[in-house]
Amino acid sequence: AKPLKADRELVLEAVRQGGGALQYAAEPLKADRELVLEAVRQNCGALEWAANPLKAGREFLLEVVRQNGEALRHAAVPLKADRELVLQAVRWDG
């Protein structure tokens, strides 16, 4: 049997309850786009525990900041200066 932290459905339900649960997920799940988006929807800080390739992906980050502009603080450093990402984050904040 696989460990609970590797059970995608269980982890997805956990991050729906609280995005911070992502930190306890198995590494492959931290690279799961849908799962990470759901976690960030609940808690912008959850992006901190996402796999590095996701945090460095511009298109993914655009999707994230449209949902929660505060998540930009957890993006890969070069993307924190990306004009479009920053504008999206500011728009989200109102």
Side-chain angles (χ1 to χ4, degrees):
K2 66 182 171 185
L4 295 177
K5 68 181 190 172
D7 182 320
R8 187 180 187 281
E9 291 309 309
L10 182 71
V11 173
L12 185 57
E13 191 52 43
V15 300
R16 284 183 177 139
Q17 301 300 314
L22 184 64
Q23 68 184 303
Y24 303 109
E27 290 305 312
L29 294 180
K30 292 178 180 181
D32 182 306
R33 185 182 187 94
E34 179 192 357
L35 204 141
V36 173
L37 279 173
E38 187 60 40
V40 172
R41 218 174 267 132
Q42 298 303 319
N43 175 354
C44 72
L47 188 60
E48 180 181 346
W49 297 294
N52 286 332
L54 277 183
K55 290 194 278 193
R58 188 173 184 280
E59 292 307 311
F60 177 74
L61 261 295
L62 265 173
E63 209 172 326
V64 166
V65 297
R66 284 184 186 124
Q67 290 182 22
N68 192 328
E70 291 180 28
L72 187 58
R73 356 175 234 179
H74 301 288
V77 173
L79 292 175
K80 290 180 180 181
D82 182 290
R83 179 178 169 78
E84 188 178 358
L85 282 171
V86 172
L87 286 173
Q88 268 308 328
V90 170
R91 271 191 213 117
W92 174 85
D93 198 30

